Amino acid sequence: MNAVVTTQNGTQVTERELMDVLKNSLYPGAADASVMMVMGYCRAAGLDVMKKPVHIVPIWNKDTGRMVDVIMPGIALYRTEAARTGEYVGKSEPEFGPDKTMTLGGVEVTFPSWCRMTVRRIVHGKICEFTAKEFWLENYATAKRDTQAPNAMWKKRAYGQLAKCTEAQALRMAFPEQTGGTNTDDEMSGKDFSGGTIDITPQVQQIKEDTGAKQIAFFEARLSGCKTIESVDYLWKRWESTIEEANKTGKPIDQKTIDRVQEMLGERMGEVQKSERQQAEELAAAPVEEPVA
C-alpha cells in the first residue's frame, strides 16, 4: 500500500495517498478493495484515474447471494476512446419514441418508449453511420433487486439515461476495437451479474428459446458471407427492424438473443474493417512499375 505511483502529470504519490484522494473525492463511501480495483483497471488500460473514466457499480451476484462491486467504464471513456482514433466525426441528436406511462413496482412512471442515435466514423475516407435504437424498458435500472420500480435517476432523468445507453450502443457499433465487449455503468446498474438482466417486463410473454436459437443461427450464417462494411450494416439494420417488429406484436425477443446477435454483428464489423484496412495498406505499399519510355 506504500508503493509509489506516478500520476500522468508526473507527480509521485503513494498508493495510500492516491486511494485517500479517490475515496474522498471521486468515489466517496467506496470500500478500499473497490478503489484498488479501479486503480488496477486504470493502470492496466493506461487511463488517468483522476479523470474518473470508470465507475464502481454494485450488482447482485446470484452465486454469492449478495451485491458485489464491479468496475464499469463510463460513457465519457467510450467518447474518449472514439475521439483518440481520429476517425470520430460526431453523433446525431437523440431521437425519442412516444411517451409511455406505466406503473412499475407500485410507482407510476412516464418515459420515452425508445431512443435512436447515430454515431459517425470515417472509414477509408468515407463517413459511415452507425445507428443504435434502445428501449427504456430494456435498459432502466431498478431501485432494488426485488422490485420493478426504477431507481431515482432513471425516474428523474428518463430521457437522459436512455440517451446515454443508446449512445454507448452506437459507439460500440462504430468502434468495436476500442469499446470491446464492455458495457457502461448506466447500462449495467440494477442488473443481475450472474443471471443476465433482471426481468423488468414479466407481463410480456418472452419468445421461446428455440426461436432465439434460430435467429442466432440465421445471422451467424449470413454474417459469414459478409465481406464489406455495407453488407454488415445492412444486416444490422435488419436486426433492428426485427427487434422493433417483435416489440410491436407483443412478443419481444429474449435479451440474451439480442445481446448475442449484436455481439456477432459487432465482431464481424470489426473483422471487416480490419480486413479492408489491411488491404488498403497493402495496396498503398505495393511497388509501382514506372512506364517504359
Side-chain angles (χ1 to χ4, degrees), residues 165-201:
C165 290
T166 307
E167 182 183 355
Q169 182 70 289
L171 285 168
R172 275 194 296 272
M173 295 164 63
F175 297 91
E177 314 97 311
Q178 286 70 35
T179 56
T182 61
N183 291 89
T184 64
D185 61 306
D186 297 296
E187 296 174 289
M188 291 304 296
S189 179
K191 302 300 187 297
D192 188 320
F193 187 65
S194 60
T197 57
I198 296 173
D199 184 7
I200 57 177
T201 55

PDB file of all heavy atoms in Angstrom, residues 165-201:
ATOM      1  N   CYS A 165     -27.375   5.353 -22.757  1.00  0.00           N
ATOM      2  CA  CYS A 165     -27.295   3.930 -23.100  1.00  0.00           C
ATOM      3  C   CYS A 165     -27.313   3.732 -24.608  1.00  0.00           C
ATOM      4  O   CYS A 165     -26.620   2.870 -25.152  1.00  0.00           O
ATOM      5  CB  CYS A 165     -28.457   3.167 -22.454  1.00  0.00           C
ATOM      6  SG  CYS A 165     -28.335   3.039 -20.652  1.00  0.00           S
ATOM      7  N   THR A 166     -28.120   4.529 -25.296  1.00  0.00           N
ATOM      8  CA  THR A 166     -28.211   4.424 -26.753  1.00  0.00           C
ATOM      9  C   THR A 166     -26.906   4.879 -27.403  1.00  0.00           C
ATOM     10  O   THR A 166     -26.416   4.251 -28.350  1.00  0.00           O
ATOM     11  CB  THR A 166     -29.378   5.276 -27.280  1.00  0.00           C
ATOM     12  OG1 THR A 166     -30.574   4.940 -26.585  1.00  0.00           O
ATOM     13  CG2 THR A 166     -29.587   5.042 -28.772  1.00  0.00           C
ATOM     14  N   GLU A 167     -26.336   5.958 -26.887  1.00  0.00           N
ATOM     15  CA  GLU A 167     -25.056   6.435 -27.419  1.00  0.00           C
ATOM     16  C   GLU A 167     -23.965   5.391 -27.212  1.00  0.00           C
ATOM     17  O   GLU A 167     -23.131   5.155 -28.102  1.00  0.00           O
ATOM     18  CB  GLU A 167     -24.661   7.745 -26.745  1.00  0.00           C
ATOM     19  CG  GLU A 167     -23.360   8.315 -27.282  1.00  0.00           C
ATOM     20  CD  GLU A 167     -22.926   9.585 -26.568  1.00  0.00           C
ATOM     21  OE1 GLU A 167     -23.684  10.082 -25.714  1.00  0.00           O
ATOM     22  OE2 GLU A 167     -21.814  10.069 -26.863  1.00  0.00           O
ATOM     23  N   ALA A 168     -23.981   4.749 -26.041  1.00  0.00           N
ATOM     24  CA  ALA A 168     -22.985   3.707 -25.761  1.00  0.00           C
ATOM     25  C   ALA A 168     -23.102   2.567 -26.760  1.00  0.00           C
ATOM     26  O   ALA A 168     -22.094   2.055 -27.260  1.00  0.00           O
ATOM     27  CB  ALA A 168     -23.165   3.185 -24.338  1.00  0.00           C
ATOM     28  N   GLN A 169     -24.316   2.161 -27.068  1.00  0.00           N
ATOM     29  CA  GLN A 169     -24.522   1.083 -28.042  1.00  0.00           C
ATOM     30  C   GLN A 169     -24.035   1.502 -29.428  1.00  0.00           C
ATOM     31  O   GLN A 169     -23.384   0.723 -30.137  1.00  0.00           O
ATOM     32  CB  GLN A 169     -26.003   0.705 -28.093  1.00  0.00           C
ATOM     33  CG  GLN A 169     -26.329  -0.445 -29.047  1.00  0.00           C
ATOM     34  CD  GLN A 169     -25.800  -1.762 -28.547  1.00  0.00           C
ATOM     35  OE1 GLN A 169     -24.595  -2.011 -28.548  1.00  0.00           O
ATOM     36  NE2 GLN A 169     -26.690  -2.641 -28.126  1.00  0.00           N
ATOM     37  N   ALA A 170     -24.331   2.735 -29.819  1.00  0.00           N
ATOM     38  CA  ALA A 170     -23.898   3.222 -31.127  1.00  0.00           C
ATOM     39  C   ALA A 170     -22.373   3.306 -31.199  1.00  0.00           C
ATOM     40  O   ALA A 170     -21.773   2.981 -32.229  1.00  0.00           O
ATOM     41  CB  ALA A 170     -24.517   4.594 -31.405  1.00  0.00           C
ATOM     42  N   LEU A 171     -21.724   3.724 -30.106  1.00  0.00           N
ATOM     43  CA  LEU A 171     -20.264   3.795 -30.077  1.00  0.00           C
ATOM     44  C   LEU A 171     -19.647   2.404 -30.164  1.00  0.00           C
ATOM     45  O   LEU A 171     -18.600   2.214 -30.791  1.00  0.00           O
ATOM     46  CB  LEU A 171     -19.793   4.509 -28.807  1.00  0.00           C
ATOM     47  CG  LEU A 171     -19.964   6.034 -28.803  1.00  0.00           C
ATOM     48  CD1 LEU A 171     -19.755   6.592 -27.402  1.00  0.00           C
ATOM     49  CD2 LEU A 171     -19.007   6.686 -29.797  1.00  0.00           C
ATOM     50  N   ARG A 172     -20.290   1.405 -29.535  1.00  0.00           N
ATOM     51  CA  ARG A 172     -19.800   0.039 -29.649  1.00  0.00           C
ATOM     52  C   ARG A 172     -19.895  -0.461 -31.083  1.00  0.00           C
ATOM     53  O   ARG A 172     -19.037  -1.194 -31.567  1.00  0.00           O
ATOM     54  CB  ARG A 172     -20.574  -0.892 -28.717  1.00  0.00           C
ATOM     55  CG  ARG A 172     -20.052  -0.928 -27.295  1.00  0.00           C
ATOM     56  CD  ARG A 172     -20.623  -2.106 -26.529  1.00  0.00           C
ATOM     57  NE  ARG A 172     -22.067  -2.007 -26.387  1.00  0.00           N
ATOM     58  CZ  ARG A 172     -22.670  -1.377 -25.393  1.00  0.00           C
ATOM     59  NH1 ARG A 172     -21.961  -0.788 -24.451  1.00  0.00           N
ATOM     60  NH2 ARG A 172     -23.990  -1.326 -25.324  1.00  0.00           N
ATOM     61  N   MET A 173     -20.977  -0.084 -31.764  1.00  0.00           N
ATOM     62  CA  MET A 173     -21.154  -0.486 -33.149  1.00  0.00           C
ATOM     63  C   MET A 173     -20.095   0.163 -34.052  1.00  0.00           C
ATOM     64  O   MET A 173     -19.546  -0.476 -34.944  1.00  0.00           O
ATOM     65  CB  MET A 173     -22.558  -0.101 -33.629  1.00  0.00           C
ATOM     66  CG  MET A 173     -23.685  -0.844 -32.924  1.00  0.00           C
ATOM     67  SD  MET A 173     -25.307  -0.063 -33.168  1.00  0.00           S
ATOM     68  CE  MET A 173     -25.509  -0.204 -34.948  1.00  0.00           C
ATOM     69  N   ALA A 174     -19.826   1.444 -33.799  1.00  0.00           N
ATOM     70  CA  ALA A 174     -18.903   2.180 -34.659  1.00  0.00           C
ATOM     71  C   ALA A 174     -17.443   1.893 -34.328  1.00  0.00           C
ATOM     72  O   ALA A 174     -16.587   1.877 -35.215  1.00  0.00           O
ATOM     73  CB  ALA A 174     -19.175   3.683 -34.544  1.00  0.00           C
ATOM     74  N   PHE A 175     -17.143   1.648 -33.047  1.00  0.00           N
ATOM     75  CA  PHE A 175     -15.758   1.461 -32.619  1.00  0.00           C
ATOM     76  C   PHE A 175     -15.616   0.178 -31.790  1.00  0.00           C
ATOM     77  O   PHE A 175     -15.303   0.228 -30.587  1.00  0.00           O
ATOM     78  CB  PHE A 175     -15.295   2.666 -31.795  1.00  0.00           C
ATOM     79  CG  PHE A 175     -15.289   3.958 -32.564  1.00  0.00           C
ATOM     80  CD1 PHE A 175     -16.416   4.775 -32.568  1.00  0.00           C
ATOM     81  CD2 PHE A 175     -14.180   4.363 -33.288  1.00  0.00           C
ATOM     82  CE1 PHE A 175     -16.434   5.974 -33.271  1.00  0.00           C
ATOM     83  CE2 PHE A 175     -14.184   5.551 -34.004  1.00  0.00           C
ATOM     84  CZ  PHE A 175     -15.308   6.355 -34.004  1.00  0.00           C
ATOM     85  N   PRO A 176     -15.851  -0.981 -32.394  1.00  0.00           N
ATOM     86  CA  PRO A 176     -15.762  -2.239 -31.635  1.00  0.00           C
ATOM     87  C   PRO A 176     -14.364  -2.525 -31.109  1.00  0.00           C
ATOM     88  O   PRO A 176     -14.210  -3.157 -30.068  1.00  0.00           O
ATOM     89  CB  PRO A 176     -16.196  -3.290 -32.666  1.00  0.00           C
ATOM     90  CG  PRO A 176     -15.922  -2.667 -34.005  1.00  0.00           C
ATOM     91  CD  PRO A 176     -16.201  -1.213 -33.817  1.00  0.00           C
ATOM     92  N   GLU A 177     -13.328  -2.041 -31.830  1.00  0.00           N
ATOM     93  CA  GLU A 177     -11.964  -2.310 -31.366  1.00  0.00           C
ATOM     94  C   GLU A 177     -11.660  -1.560 -30.073  1.00  0.00           C
ATOM     95  O   GLU A 177     -10.911  -2.044 -29.220  1.00  0.00           O
ATOM     96  CB  GLU A 177     -10.933  -1.880 -32.419  1.00  0.00           C
ATOM     97  CG  GLU A 177     -11.244  -2.317 -33.847  1.00  0.00           C
ATOM     98  CD  GLU A 177     -11.924  -1.221 -34.636  1.00  0.00           C
ATOM     99  OE1 GLU A 177     -12.901  -0.640 -34.115  1.00  0.00           O
ATOM    100  OE2 GLU A 177     -11.473  -0.936 -35.749  1.00  0.00           O
ATOM    101  N   GLN A 178     -12.229  -0.369 -29.921  1.00  0.00           N
ATOM    102  CA  GLN A 178     -11.936   0.456 -28.755  1.00  0.00           C
ATOM    103  C   GLN A 178     -12.818   0.113 -27.553  1.00  0.00           C
ATOM    104  O   GLN A 178     -12.374   0.167 -26.411  1.00  0.00           O
ATOM    105  CB  GLN A 178     -12.130   1.944 -29.096  1.00  0.00           C
ATOM    106  CG  GLN A 178     -11.026   2.544 -29.967  1.00  0.00           C
ATOM    107  CD  GLN A 178     -11.052   2.020 -31.384  1.00  0.00           C
ATOM    108  OE1 GLN A 178     -12.117   1.756 -31.941  1.00  0.00           O
ATOM    109  NE2 GLN A 178      -9.881   1.879 -31.996  1.00  0.00           N
ATOM    110  N   THR A 179     -14.077  -0.241 -27.802  1.00  0.00           N
ATOM    111  CA  THR A 179     -15.011  -0.484 -26.696  1.00  0.00           C
ATOM    112  C   THR A 179     -15.064  -1.942 -26.283  1.00  0.00           C
ATOM    113  O   THR A 179     -15.443  -2.262 -25.147  1.00  0.00           O
ATOM    114  CB  THR A 179     -16.430  -0.033 -27.087  1.00  0.00           C
ATOM    115  OG1 THR A 179     -16.826  -0.710 -28.292  1.00  0.00           O
ATOM    116  CG2 THR A 179     -16.467   1.467 -27.338  1.00  0.00           C
ATOM    117  N   GLY A 180     -14.709  -2.853 -27.186  1.00  0.00           N
ATOM    118  CA  GLY A 180     -14.713  -4.276 -26.869  1.00  0.00           C
ATOM    119  C   GLY A 180     -16.101  -4.771 -26.487  1.00  0.00           C
ATOM    120  O   GLY A 180     -17.114  -4.297 -26.991  1.00  0.00           O
ATOM    121  N   GLY A 181     -16.140  -5.720 -25.550  1.00  0.00           N
ATOM    122  CA  GLY A 181     -17.429  -6.297 -25.144  1.00  0.00           C
ATOM    123  C   GLY A 181     -17.932  -5.737 -23.839  1.00  0.00           C
ATOM    124  O   GLY A 181     -18.730  -6.387 -23.150  1.00  0.00           O
ATOM    125  N   THR A 182     -17.476  -4.532 -23.465  1.00  0.00           N
ATOM    126  CA  THR A 182     -17.871  -3.953 -22.187  1.00  0.00           C
ATOM    127  C   THR A 182     -19.211  -3.233 -22.289  1.00  0.00           C
ATOM    128  O   THR A 182     -19.699  -2.922 -23.375  1.00  0.00           O
ATOM    129  CB  THR A 182     -16.817  -2.950 -21.702  1.00  0.00           C
ATOM    130  OG1 THR A 182     -16.702  -1.887 -22.682  1.00  0.00           O
ATOM    131  CG2 THR A 182     -15.469  -3.616 -21.541  1.00  0.00           C
ATOM    132  N   ASN A 183     -19.796  -2.976 -21.116  1.00  0.00           N
ATOM    133  CA  ASN A 183     -20.995  -2.156 -21.016  1.00  0.00           C
ATOM    134  C   ASN A 183     -20.705  -1.004 -20.062  1.00  0.00           C
ATOM    135  O   ASN A 183     -19.870  -1.126 -19.168  1.00  0.00           O
ATOM    136  CB  ASN A 183     -22.183  -2.966 -20.479  1.00  0.00           C
ATOM    137  CG  ASN A 183     -22.663  -4.002 -21.471  1.00  0.00           C
ATOM    138  OD1 ASN A 183     -22.200  -5.130 -21.486  1.00  0.00           O
ATOM    139  ND2 ASN A 183     -23.591  -3.622 -22.317  1.00  0.00           N
ATOM    140  N   THR A 184     -21.398   0.107 -20.241  1.00  0.00           N
ATOM    141  CA  THR A 184     -21.171   1.251 -19.363  1.00  0.00           C
ATOM    142  C   THR A 184     -21.909   1.063 -18.047  1.00  0.00           C
ATOM    143  O   THR A 184     -22.782   0.206 -17.908  1.00  0.00           O
ATOM    144  CB  THR A 184     -21.653   2.551 -20.026  1.00  0.00           C
ATOM    145  OG1 THR A 184     -23.076   2.488 -20.217  1.00  0.00           O
ATOM    146  CG2 THR A 184     -20.965   2.766 -21.357  1.00  0.00           C
ATOM    147  N   ASP A 185     -21.561   1.911 -17.087  1.00  0.00           N
ATOM    148  CA  ASP A 185     -22.194   1.831 -15.771  1.00  0.00           C
ATOM    149  C   ASP A 185     -23.693   2.099 -15.858  1.00  0.00           C
ATOM    150  O   ASP A 185     -24.485   1.506 -15.131  1.00  0.00           O
ATOM    151  CB  ASP A 185     -21.547   2.825 -14.806  1.00  0.00           C
ATOM    152  CG  ASP A 185     -21.689   4.271 -15.276  1.00  0.00           C
ATOM    153  OD1 ASP A 185     -21.287   4.550 -16.433  1.00  0.00           O
ATOM    154  OD2 ASP A 185     -22.180   5.115 -14.511  1.00  0.00           O
ATOM    155  N   ASP A 186     -24.108   3.002 -16.759  1.00  0.00           N
ATOM    156  CA  ASP A 186     -25.532   3.302 -16.906  1.00  0.00           C
ATOM    157  C   ASP A 186     -26.310   2.089 -17.403  1.00  0.00           C
ATOM    158  O   ASP A 186     -27.461   1.877 -17.020  1.00  0.00           O
ATOM    159  CB  ASP A 186     -25.735   4.467 -17.891  1.00  0.00           C
ATOM    160  CG  ASP A 186     -25.110   5.756 -17.391  1.00  0.00           C
ATOM    161  OD1 ASP A 186     -25.563   6.266 -16.356  1.00  0.00           O
ATOM    162  OD2 ASP A 186     -24.160   6.237 -18.020  1.00  0.00           O
ATOM    163  N   GLU A 187     -25.678   1.279 -18.246  1.00  0.00           N
ATOM    164  CA  GLU A 187     -26.342   0.098 -18.790  1.00  0.00           C
ATOM    165  C   GLU A 187     -26.423  -1.045 -17.786  1.00  0.00           C
ATOM    166  O   GLU A 187     -27.363  -1.837 -17.812  1.00  0.00           O
ATOM    167  CB  GLU A 187     -25.602  -0.376 -20.036  1.00  0.00           C
ATOM    168  CG  GLU A 187     -25.634   0.609 -21.180  1.00  0.00           C
ATOM    169  CD  GLU A 187     -24.761   0.169 -22.335  1.00  0.00           C
ATOM    170  OE1 GLU A 187     -23.523   0.215 -22.201  1.00  0.00           O
ATOM    171  OE2 GLU A 187     -25.308  -0.222 -23.374  1.00  0.00           O
ATOM    172  N   MET A 188     -25.437  -1.144 -16.898  1.00  0.00           N
ATOM    173  CA  MET A 188     -25.365  -2.291 -16.007  1.00  0.00           C
ATOM    174  C   MET A 188     -25.950  -2.053 -14.626  1.00  0.00           C
ATOM    175  O   MET A 188     -26.176  -2.989 -13.869  1.00  0.00           O
ATOM    176  CB  MET A 188     -23.903  -2.727 -15.850  1.00  0.00           C
ATOM    177  CG  MET A 188     -23.315  -3.320 -17.115  1.00  0.00           C
ATOM    178  SD  MET A 188     -24.270  -4.724 -17.743  1.00  0.00           S
ATOM    179  CE  MET A 188     -24.068  -5.908 -16.413  1.00  0.00           C
ATOM    180  N   SER A 189     -26.194  -0.796 -14.266  1.00  0.00           N
ATOM    181  CA  SER A 189     -26.759  -0.509 -12.952  1.00  0.00           C
ATOM    182  C   SER A 189     -28.113  -1.186 -12.800  1.00  0.00           C
ATOM    183  O   SER A 189     -28.986  -1.087 -13.663  1.00  0.00           O
ATOM    184  CB  SER A 189     -26.923   1.011 -12.778  1.00  0.00           C
ATOM    185  OG  SER A 189     -27.496   1.315 -11.529  1.00  0.00           O
ATOM    186  N   GLY A 190     -28.300  -1.912 -11.695  1.00  0.00           N
ATOM    187  CA  GLY A 190     -29.567  -2.589 -11.442  1.00  0.00           C
ATOM    188  C   GLY A 190     -29.693  -3.929 -12.122  1.00  0.00           C
ATOM    189  O   GLY A 190     -30.777  -4.511 -12.146  1.00  0.00           O
ATOM    190  N   LYS A 191     -28.598  -4.458 -12.676  1.00  0.00           N
ATOM    191  CA  LYS A 191     -28.655  -5.727 -13.387  1.00  0.00           C
ATOM    192  C   LYS A 191     -28.135  -6.864 -12.512  1.00  0.00           C
ATOM    193  O   LYS A 191     -27.501  -6.650 -11.492  1.00  0.00           O
ATOM    194  CB  LYS A 191     -27.833  -5.639 -14.680  1.00  0.00           C
ATOM    195  CG  LYS A 191     -28.291  -4.540 -15.628  1.00  0.00           C
ATOM    196  CD  LYS A 191     -29.720  -4.725 -16.054  1.00  0.00           C
ATOM    197  CE  LYS A 191     -30.137  -3.729 -17.135  1.00  0.00           C
ATOM    198  NZ  LYS A 191     -30.109  -2.349 -16.727  1.00  0.00           N
ATOM    199  N   ASP A 192     -28.415  -8.074 -12.946  1.00  0.00           N
ATOM    200  CA  ASP A 192     -28.005  -9.287 -12.243  1.00  0.00           C
ATOM    201  C   ASP A 192     -26.693  -9.766 -12.838  1.00  0.00           C
ATOM    202  O   ASP A 192     -26.600 -10.030 -14.035  1.00  0.00           O
ATOM    203  CB  ASP A 192     -29.099 -10.353 -12.403  1.00  0.00           C
ATOM    204  CG  ASP A 192     -28.852 -11.570 -11.538  1.00  0.00           C
ATOM    205  OD1 ASP A 192     -27.691 -11.990 -11.429  1.00  0.00           O
ATOM    206  OD2 ASP A 192     -29.826 -12.098 -10.993  1.00  0.00           O
ATOM    207  N   PHE A 193     -25.629  -9.899 -12.004  1.00  0.00           N
ATOM    208  CA  PHE A 193     -24.297 -10.209 -12.501  1.00  0.00           C
ATOM    209  C   PHE A 193     -24.183 -11.604 -13.089  1.00  0.00           C
ATOM    210  O   PHE A 193     -23.490 -11.819 -14.060  1.00  0.00           O
ATOM    211  CB  PHE A 193     -23.282 -10.056 -11.369  1.00  0.00           C
ATOM    212  CG  PHE A 193     -21.862 -10.193 -11.807  1.00  0.00           C
ATOM    213  CD1 PHE A 193     -21.296  -9.269 -12.665  1.00  0.00           C
ATOM    214  CD2 PHE A 193     -21.078 -11.253 -11.382  1.00  0.00           C
ATOM    215  CE1 PHE A 193     -19.977  -9.383 -13.074  1.00  0.00           C
ATOM    216  CE2 PHE A 193     -19.765 -11.373 -11.785  1.00  0.00           C
ATOM    217  CZ  PHE A 193     -19.218 -10.438 -12.624  1.00  0.00           C
ATOM    218  N   SER A 194     -24.869 -12.592 -12.499  1.00  0.00           N
ATOM    219  CA  SER A 194     -24.675 -13.966 -12.951  1.00  0.00           C
ATOM    220  C   SER A 194     -25.856 -14.540 -13.702  1.00  0.00           C
ATOM    221  O   SER A 194     -25.762 -15.615 -14.267  1.00  0.00           O
ATOM    222  CB  SER A 194     -24.374 -14.867 -11.749  1.00  0.00           C
ATOM    223  OG  SER A 194     -25.441 -14.827 -10.825  1.00  0.00           O
ATOM    224  N   GLY A 195     -26.965 -13.834 -13.700  1.00  0.00           N
ATOM    225  CA  GLY A 195     -28.137 -14.410 -14.348  1.00  0.00           C
ATOM    226  C   GLY A 195     -28.744 -13.538 -15.415  1.00  0.00           C
ATOM    227  O   GLY A 195     -29.931 -13.588 -15.672  1.00  0.00           O
ATOM    228  N   GLY A 196     -27.925 -12.664 -16.027  1.00  0.00           N
ATOM    229  CA  GLY A 196     -28.467 -11.788 -17.056  1.00  0.00           C
ATOM    230  C   GLY A 196     -29.176 -10.613 -16.417  1.00  0.00           C
ATOM    231  O   GLY A 196     -29.040 -10.338 -15.233  1.00  0.00           O
ATOM    232  N   THR A 197     -29.968  -9.894 -17.185  1.00  0.00           N
ATOM    233  CA  THR A 197     -30.674  -8.749 -16.652  1.00  0.00           C
ATOM    234  C   THR A 197     -31.878  -9.193 -15.841  1.00  0.00           C
ATOM    235  O   THR A 197     -32.445 -10.257 -16.055  1.00  0.00           O
ATOM    236  CB  THR A 197     -31.170  -7.839 -17.797  1.00  0.00           C
ATOM    237  OG1 THR A 197     -32.000  -8.614 -18.666  1.00  0.00           O
ATOM    238  CG2 THR A 197     -30.012  -7.281 -18.586  1.00  0.00           C
ATOM    239  N   ILE A 198     -32.275  -8.347 -14.891  1.00  0.00           N
ATOM    240  CA  ILE A 198     -33.470  -8.625 -14.114  1.00  0.00           C
ATOM    241  C   ILE A 198     -34.673  -8.516 -15.035  1.00  0.00           C
ATOM    242  O   ILE A 198     -34.751  -7.608 -15.871  1.00  0.00           O
ATOM    243  CB  ILE A 198     -33.601  -7.612 -12.960  1.00  0.00           C
ATOM    244  CG1 ILE A 198     -32.418  -7.788 -11.999  1.00  0.00           C
ATOM    245  CG2 ILE A 198     -34.910  -7.776 -12.230  1.00  0.00           C
ATOM    246  CD1 ILE A 198     -32.355  -6.738 -10.920  1.00  0.00           C
ATOM    247  N   ASP A 199     -35.622  -9.423 -14.903  1.00  0.00           N
ATOM    248  CA  ASP A 199     -36.804  -9.415 -15.766  1.00  0.00           C
ATOM    249  C   ASP A 199     -37.712  -8.274 -15.351  1.00  0.00           C
ATOM    250  O   ASP A 199     -38.430  -8.350 -14.359  1.00  0.00           O
ATOM    251  CB  ASP A 199     -37.558 -10.747 -15.629  1.00  0.00           C
ATOM    252  CG  ASP A 199     -38.744 -10.815 -16.578  1.00  0.00           C
ATOM    253  OD1 ASP A 199     -38.879  -9.895 -17.414  1.00  0.00           O
ATOM    254  OD2 ASP A 199     -39.514 -11.778 -16.490  1.00  0.00           O
ATOM    255  N   ILE A 200     -37.673  -7.174 -16.087  1.00  0.00           N
ATOM    256  CA  ILE A 200     -38.436  -5.991 -15.718  1.00  0.00           C
ATOM    257  C   ILE A 200     -39.757  -5.918 -16.461  1.00  0.00           C
ATOM    258  O   ILE A 200     -40.534  -4.997 -16.262  1.00  0.00           O
ATOM    259  CB  ILE A 200     -37.614  -4.715 -16.005  1.00  0.00           C
ATOM    260  CG1 ILE A 200     -37.218  -4.670 -17.477  1.00  0.00           C
ATOM    261  CG2 ILE A 200     -36.391  -4.667 -15.127  1.00  0.00           C
ATOM    262  CD1 ILE A 200     -36.471  -3.435 -17.883  1.00  0.00           C
ATOM    263  N   THR A 201     -40.032  -6.884 -17.341  1.00  0.00           N
ATOM    264  CA  THR A 201     -41.294  -6.884 -18.068  1.00  0.00           C
ATOM    265  C   THR A 201     -41.942  -8.258 -17.995  1.00  0.00           C
ATOM    266  O   THR A 201     -42.157  -8.907 -19.013  1.00  0.00           O
ATOM    267  CB  THR A 201     -41.072  -6.490 -19.546  1.00  0.00           C
ATOM    268  OG1 THR A 201     -40.087  -7.369 -20.102  1.00  0.00           O
ATOM    269  CG2 THR A 201     -40.609  -5.069 -19.664  1.00  0.00           C
TER     270      THR A 201
END
